[in-house]
Amino acid sequence: MSSKETRITKAVFPVAGMGTRFLPATKANPKEMLPVVDKPLIQYAAEEAIAAGVDELIFVTSSSKRAIEDHFDKNYEMEAELAAKGKIDLLNLVRDVVPKGVSCVYVRQAEALGLGHAVLCAKSIVGNEPFAVILADDLIDGGNASCMQQMVAAFNEKQCSILGVEKIPIEYSHKYGMISSEEIGDRLSRIKSIIEKPDPADAPSDLAVVGRYILTPRIFGLLETTPRGAGGEIQLTDAIDALLKEEEVLAYQFKGKRYDCGSKLGYLKASIDYALQHPELADDFTEYLKKRFGQNGGRIEDSIKRA
Ligand code: UTP
């Protein structure tokens, strides 16, 4: 890497949304603290960023998200208790939530004015450097290399904004930012246009933006002048639309499987798949599913009727 090239060391986690799709669970608990097996969604997101080389985690929170700050803070009482009982494995588990050398910063979004506004709240902490944005409710199992690791590798080569994208069935286009682009390499394309939540008939392609972004700091200036868009919110998509008129913005089709854990169905799918990979649970849980749904290809519908 030449001296002019920059590294991604900061990640912004917008966690100030209301999580209405998960009410009543999210009335007093943040959506990002919902566990998939034994880890909250926000911890998976933090680990993904750290694996990609990030050492400053910036959380954009709201008044009802205290639990997130507590999760990443030291818990003296619990650590002392576990140490006194000699439960060293559990002690390490609790301590390792934030590895050494990684710092956490919190900034409040006073009103939920949209994802674009949430990212803008991090402006003074990020400063004048490119940064990552991770939406914790999009849980991505990247296998050997996390999604953000893959994107940072692409950034190190291209040194421009990059959005994580995946192909979706076009009937769901009204839930995503959708792009049109031209291919420029393996999994990489140059974005030509972006539109927030279009009807399927207006979607420029079947490529949807998911909750992973690497953005240049120019995005902040553009967000400051972005008017309220869809849903009366300041949309990150609108500012990215302005960005790509000034700078190259790429799309990266990540390797891995994404779970939309902001929806109940996606969350359940993630819980099952992660339990089936969990070293402590995999065997017993597989046994349970076999019994529950029949060993030899028994029909799931029959098992449900029997239950
Ligand atoms: P969502 O569109 O999933 O909204 O936000 P939400 O409020 O979290 O959930 P629902 O739709 O009501 O169930 C996408 C991401 O942007 C953050 C959310 O926390 C989530 O990570 N966000 C959204 C903010 O931080 N601030 C906002 O004003 C809006």
Side-chain angles (χ1 to χ4, degrees):
M1 207 184 284
S2 84
S3 58
K4 272 183 75 189
E5 290 168 352
T6 45
R7 284 195 325 116
I8 302 295
T9 61
K10 297 179 180 180
V12 174
F13 302 89
V15 291
M18 308 241 281
T20 53
R21 282 169 293 164
F22 254 106
L23 283 169
T26 46
K27 187 180 168 206
N29 290 312
K31 165 173 77 173
E32 297 78 9
M33 286 302 291
L34 291 173
V36 170
V37 185
D38 52 8
K39 253 192 262 179
L41 285 168
I42 192 65
Q43 192 178 332
Y44 287 101
E47 286 175 2
E48 180 178 334
I50 293 165
V54 164
D55 58 17
E56 191 169 334
L57 312 177
I58 302 163
F59 299 91
V60 182
T61 70
S62 69
S63 55
S64 57
K65 305 276 176 156
R66 281 254 159 86
I68 294 177
E69 291 172 51
D70 290 343
H71 184 72
F72 290 100
D73 201 356
K74 200 171 172 65
N75 186 331
Y76 285 102
E77 236 172 74
M78 181 177 276
E79 288 188 20
E81 192 90 356
L82 291 171
K85 289 185 172 152
K87 296 188 173 176
I88 303 305
D89 287 352
L90 290 179
L91 180 63
N92 290 336
L93 213 61
V94 170
R95 280 186 178 156
D96 289 349
V97 168
V98 184
K100 282 205 172 64
V102 173
S103 59
C104 298
V105 184
Y106 301 89
V107 59
R108 282 277 180 96
Q109 184 189 23
E111 258 185 290
L113 293 179
L115 176 59
H117 181 257
V119 170
L120 184 56
C121 290
K123 179 186 173 194
S124 61
I125 304 167
V126 170
N128 193 30
E129 58 184 270
F131 62 103
V133 177
I134 297 185
L135 306 187
D137 50 1
D138 266 338
L139 177 61
I140 300 179
D141 181 358
N144 294 336
S146 76
C147 178
M148 192 46 78
Q149 244 175 317
Q150 297 170 42
M151 287 175 62
V152 164
F155 173 84
N156 288 343
E157 205 184 303
K158 303 291 182 186
Q159 298 282 306
C160 65
S161 297
I162 303 179
L163 314 186
V165 298
E166 77 172 359
K167 286 192 176 189
I168 58 149
I170 201 71
E171 60 267 30
Y172 298 128
S173 65
H174 62 287
K175 297 181 177 191
Y176 296 90
M178 303 295 296
I179 62 159
S180 69
S181 62
E182 56 188 6
E183 207 174 305
I184 58 162
D186 184 28
R187 296 181 174 273
L188 268 183
S189 54
R190 182 177 297 113
I191 300 182
K192 292 195 289 187
S193 68
I194 184 166
I195 172 168
E196 181 69 7
K197 301 188 170 92
D199 287 336
D202 300 325
S205 77
D206 60 353
L207 281 177
V209 179
V210 302
R212 300 292 181 279
Y213 309 77
I214 292 175
L215 296 167
T216 61
R218 176 66 187 126
I219 198 73
F220 293 124
L222 295 167
L223 279 168
E224 276 165 340
T225 53
T226 299
R228 291 192 189 201
E233 296 186 337
I234 296 175
Q235 298 289 348
L236 184 57
T237 300
D238 292 344
I240 292 172
D241 182 40
L243 184 66
L244 62 88
K245 289 173 180 124
E246 295 184 9
E247 296 178 359
E248 185 164 71
V249 181
L250 302 181
Y252 176 76
Q253 260 180 278
F254 60 90
K255 287 181 225 154
K257 182 162 182 183
R258 179 181 69 96
Y259 300 88
D260 174 10
C261 289
S263 80
K264 288 174 212 153
L265 185 60
Y267 177 75
L268 288 172
K269 287 179 186 173
S271 299
I272 289 179
D273 286 358
Y274 276 66
L276 287 171
Q277 292 178 38
H278 194 286
E280 233 176 72
L281 289 174
D283 291 347
D284 289 348
F285 190 53
T286 305
E287 259 329 286
Y288 169 73
L289 290 181
K290 277 188 191 161
K291 274 197 196 129
R292 179 74 175 77
F293 296 117
Q295 300 252 19
N296 305 313
R299 292 192 347 128
I300 288 183
E301 290 84 347
D302 296 340
S303 314
I304 292 168
K305 272 183 222 143
R306 257 186 276 126

